[in-house]
Every structure is written in structure tokens, then in C-alpha cells.
Amino acid sequence: MADGGGEDRAEGAEPRGAEGGEDVFDDPILEQGAVVLRGYVIERINLQDPGLYVSSEDLGGSPNEQEDPQIKEVVEQLLKIADDINRNAVLQQLINQASGSGAQDIFMEVARSIFADGINWGRVVALFHLAYKFIYKALTTNHLETIRMIISWVLQVIKEVLYPWLVQQGGWVGVIQRFSRWRTLTVAASIVLLAAFVYYRKTR
């Protein structure tokens, strides 16, 4: 997460920038991933809660980053895959109970479990949707300071788990070139199982 301190960071490991300014990355896949994630979150909020205005700047981005036609198309394709995931009640229950330091543990465990036995664009969308739900909760409960933290968790997963696969896909535009009609219900079912598993472990 961006902060105002002078602590050195590994190249490309995390966003850099002043508190309240836009996040800066040295790696194009991480940079584009952050832009696409912000676009996904903004469009999801527009669909779910049109009265809640959120800009890229609110999420650590720059004013015109969502105007890129290629970014728009990537976000549009990811939204098509996500339709059924958005109705996942168990995932919402899991997010509702996540708070404080435990939120990161829950997020990272579910996120890594999503890719435990493979990677595809449906699972990437599941990761983005998980982040969206956490960000939406932060926005609606006035915990704005956690939004960049959540984005940094996603970027950590991208760097540690998805990076080689994304390179093979040709970057984020791969979802445009290779998009086909996913069985979103299957993706949603897998997330239900993962969320239920983590929910059980956290509450038993």
C-alpha cells in the first residue's frame, strides 16, 4: 500500500506514491492489473449501487485511466464472466464476518485456494470479485483507509501466483483474445465450496 514514508521497497512489489495520490508501478502487468481491478470495482458498484459514486482516484488510480479502450474491453469481458458469482450468498456471508487483521487472512486464504488446482479467466474474475466485495464493504462502512490495502492483497496474489500465467496469455488483453462463454455457474459453485471451507475453519 502506498504511504508517505521513505522505506525502500522491492521493485514492483507494491504500489508507491504519496498518501492520497495515485499508486505507481514499475511492472506493466501489475500496473494494468490494478487499473483493470479498479475498473471492475467501479462498474460493479455502478450496477449494484448506482447512488454510490466511486472514481479511480478514490481507489488509488489516475483520473483518466479507465478511458483506455483496451482497458474498457478487458473490464467488460471480466464482467460478463462474473454475473453468477455476484449472487454468491456464502461468499457474502464470509466477507460480512471479516474484520480487522482477520480480513487479510481470510482474503489471502480464499484467494490462494481459488488457484490451488489451476488458473483460468473465470478464476481470475473470482479473485477480482472477492476484492470487489471487500472494497464495497470498506466503502459502505467508512473504512476508506483499507481500500488500498485490499488492492495490494490482489497484486500480491497476481505477483506470487498469476504472473507467469498472465505472461503466457499475453497480459490482460488475453481475456479479449481468448474469451469464450464460460460456465459461470461452475465458477460460482467452486467459490461457494471454497468460501464455505474457509468460513468453517474460521468459526469452528
Side-chain angles (χ1 to χ4, degrees), residues 40-153:
Y40 181 91
V41 169
I42 290 168
E43 291 304 318
R44 267 292 158 203
I45 289 174
N46 287 342
L47 291 170
Q48 179 175 333
D49 192 351
L52 179 62
Y53 175 76
V54 179
S55 68
S56 289
E57 298 97 307
D58 295 329
L59 304 178
S62 59
N64 300 316
E65 65 181 19
Q66 300 301 323
E67 298 304 312
D68 184 327
Q70 198 171 66
I71 294 294
K72 286 183 176 181
E73 190 170 359
V74 171
V75 171
E76 180 182 343
Q77 298 290 15
L78 296 180
L79 287 167
K80 288 178 182 177
I81 299 171
D83 285 343
D84 282 339
I85 300 175
N86 191 47
R87 294 189 284 270
N88 188 312
V90 178
L91 181 60
Q92 186 58 55
Q93 184 180 21
L94 174 69
I95 292 164
N96 286 342
Q97 73 153 10
S99 61
S101 59
Q104 182 175 3
D105 293 338
I106 292 174
F107 182 95
M108 295 304 291
E109 186 167 356
V110 175
R112 290 192 172 106
S113 296
I114 289 170
F115 304 105
D117 59 352
I119 303 172
N120 60 41
W121 286 111
R123 295 178 187 227
V124 173
V125 170
L127 171 66
F128 275 30
H129 200 75
L130 179 68
Y132 154 68
K133 288 291 190 179
F134 273 76
I135 289 171
Y136 183 77
K137 181 182 179 182
L139 286 167
T140 54
T141 57
N142 202 30
H143 287 86
L144 305 184
E145 72 283 355
T146 67
I147 291 174
R148 289 192 180 185
M149 290 176 58
I150 297 164
I151 292 174
S152 76
W153 302 342

Side-chain angles (χ1 to χ4, degrees), residues 9-44:
R9 301 188 190 277
E11 182 177 349
E14 290 189 25
R16 300 178 303 170
E19 186 71 21
E22 66 182 89
D23 293 330
V24 179
F25 304 88
D26 293 328
D27 186 285
I29 285 183
L30 292 178
E31 180 180 9
Q32 291 170 11
V35 174
V36 170
L37 174 60
R38 287 191 287 265
Y40 181 91
V41 169
I42 290 168
E43 291 304 318
R44 267 292 158 203

